[in-house]
Amino acid sequence: TIRANILGQLTVADLCLQRSIHCTLIGTGSLYSYDSHHLTGSGIGFREEEEPNFANNFYVRMRIILEALIKEYPNVLNLRVVFPISDDFHPRSMPAKLTKYPKILSIPTSYSVLDDLWPILIEMPRKNLTGTFNFTNPGVTDHSYILGLYRELIEPNFSWVEVTEEEKESMQKVPRSFSELDVSKLLHHFPNIPSVKESVRFVFERMKRRLELETS
């Protein structure tokens, strides 16, 4: 993880700088957890310049170190992705993972709908944008909302189990990487990114149409 997530990416950034090449790095945005200044449901998101307050696993700690280092590279665009969602129902996308979980902990948080953000990914280097961007859709939603759309539009007989209030209280004693990321900086350059709730519905509607075509 140190080789891949620090040394490898730092080497790429450095080689690009030596050759005057724009470099885009993509990594996790799960660097924050709700706190007294960013309460759940408050609409106050973590801005790019705020220090991460979540470092409960090795990968995230390595990512925080990398972000501190790449600030010194003027050619680097650093994109923070959280809970990626795509309409191809890729096994590693969030909806596919959620359908496999035995229990669901549902807390409002940011998500990255790749169908909206990938076209922007191409445009950002063209605009010569650099620095760190929270790369998520505006607003928050939660796992239960996503599974509800999956049941409504894809699999009517699907069901899931949510953790009990007692379990939730116990789990929330340990910081978790649920948070709202502020995307004002991204929206300044790309103001037409849809809200996450609106976009997730579109994702499942496209998925439904594709499944209907495949079975017709």
Side-chain angles (χ1 to χ4, degrees):
T1 299
I2 293 175
R3 263 191 214 98
N5 292 294
I6 295 183
L7 298 178
Q9 295 191 51
L10 204 58
T11 299
V12 170
D14 195 62
L15 290 171
C16 287
L17 180 63
Q18 292 176 40
R19 292 159 176 80
S20 300
I21 298 172
H22 186 284
C23 176
T24 301
L25 300 178
I26 302 171
T28 185
S30 297
L31 309 175
Y32 301 98
S33 182
Y34 287 118
D35 60 21
S36 58
H37 300 291
H38 308 81
L39 298 173
T40 309
S42 67
I44 301 172
F46 288 91
R47 299 184 308 277
E48 288 85 353
E49 65 270 19
E50 293 187 78
E51 289 295 321
N53 67 353
F54 177 82
N56 279 30
N57 65 61
F58 184 75
Y59 170 71
V60 171
R61 290 196 293 273
M62 294 304 99
R63 193 72 200 176
I64 291 170
I65 292 171
L66 176 68
E67 285 206 354
L69 293 170
I70 60 175
K71 285 179 183 177
E72 306 305 320
Y73 285 82
N75 63 314
V76 171
L77 172 64
N78 177 45
L79 301 179
R80 293 170 167 177
V81 172
V82 179
F83 293 135
I85 294 173
S86 60
D87 65 11
D88 62 357
F89 208 62
H90 189 280
R92 296 191 67 181
S93 78
M94 204 61 213
K97 287 182 177 180
L98 289 176
T99 61
K100 304 294 191 298
Y101 288 171
K103 282 191 174 183
I104 298 298
L105 174 62
S106 200
I107 296 173
T109 191
S110 289
Y111 294 80
S112 300
V113 181
L114 303 185
D115 306 86
D116 300 323
L117 299 174
W118 250 218
I120 293 171
L121 173 64
I122 298 169
E123 290 301 317
M124 295 180 84
R126 289 175 178 168
K127 290 175 176 282
N128 201 33
L129 296 177
T130 57
T132 294
F133 281 77
N134 291 332
F135 205 53
T136 69
N137 290 66
V140 295
T141 188
D142 57 43
H143 294 348
S144 290
Y145 177 79
I146 293 171
L147 288 175
L149 289 175
Y150 177 77
R151 179 170 60 191
E152 176 189 340
L153 296 166
I154 307 298
E155 190 177 338
N157 295 322
F158 180 78
S159 63
W160 68 94
V161 177
E162 296 202 31
V163 299
T164 64
E165 286 302 317
E166 292 77 12
E167 289 173 321
K168 184 181 284 190
E169 284 183 20
S170 175
M171 294 169 79
Q172 288 182 311
K173 289 178 182 176
V174 179
R176 294 175 180 273
S177 59
F178 292 103
S179 63
E180 179 172 357
L181 299 187
D182 186 303
V183 290
S184 301
K185 185 177 175 181
L186 184 64
L187 290 173
H188 174 73
H189 297 280
F190 303 96
N192 296 322
I193 303 171
S195 71
V196 65
K197 279 198 169 184
E198 177 186 20
S199 187
V200 171
R201 174 167 282 278
F202 291 155
V203 163
F204 283 106
E205 287 175 351
R206 289 194 300 270
M207 200 183 297
K208 180 182 180 181
R209 287 196 296 271
R210 187 171 61 252
L211 289 171
E212 288 172 346
L213 287 172
E214 290 173 357
T215 56
S216 61

